[in-house]
Amino acid sequence: MSEKTLTRMDLSEAVFREVGLSRNDSAQLVESVLNHMSDALVRGEQVKISSFGTFSVREKAARVGRNPKTGQEVPINPRRVLTFRPSHLMKDRVAAGNKDG
């Protein structure tokens, strides 16, 4: 499977081509949507995009680790983890695309 990084510019270009907004307006729209999604995730809300999937942030519990140099037990701070669960429609579309390629 090849790796492709989707950038804000790629999204802006797609909006520009499909919707017909100016390049500047397309970039502002994409930035606004991404900021809206990020703000909701920071507040601990789920971001569900119909027929695409659900983004959510979950807290990983604090735990104890071991310092490799000293062997002493040290606390590891809890952290927030972003997860994405694709919808069945998206999974099916990706699976169908993999069969064609």
Side-chain angles (χ1 to χ4, degrees), residues 11-30:
L11 294 171
S12 297
E13 281 297 313
V15 170
F16 170 72
R17 283 190 312 272
E18 297 295 323
V19 179
L21 293 175
S22 72
R23 278 191 161 78
N24 190 43
D25 288 344
S26 297
Q28 288 176 349
L29 176 64
V30 167

Side-chain angles (χ1 to χ4, degrees), residues 5-55:
T5 300
L6 185 63
T7 65
R8 286 183 169 112
M9 176 76 89
D10 295 333
L11 294 171
S12 297
E13 281 297 313
V15 170
F16 170 72
R17 283 190 312 272
E18 297 295 323
V19 179
L21 293 175
S22 72
R23 278 191 161 78
N24 190 43
D25 288 344
S26 297
Q28 288 176 349
L29 176 64
V30 167
E31 191 70 26
S32 176
V33 168
L34 294 174
N35 286 339
H36 182 70
M37 288 175 61
S38 297
D39 291 345
L41 291 166
V42 166
R43 291 189 303 268
E45 300 171 6
Q46 279 192 350
V47 176
K48 185 172 185 177
I49 302 172
S50 181
S51 300
F52 183 74
T54 304
F55 295 89

Side-chain angles (χ1 to χ4, degrees), residues 54-71:
T54 304
F55 295 89
S56 62
V57 175
R58 63 184 172 88
E59 302 286 334
K60 289 202 96 171
R63 57 192 199 281
V64 175
R66 194 167 295 280
N67 182 324
K69 291 182 182 176
T70 65

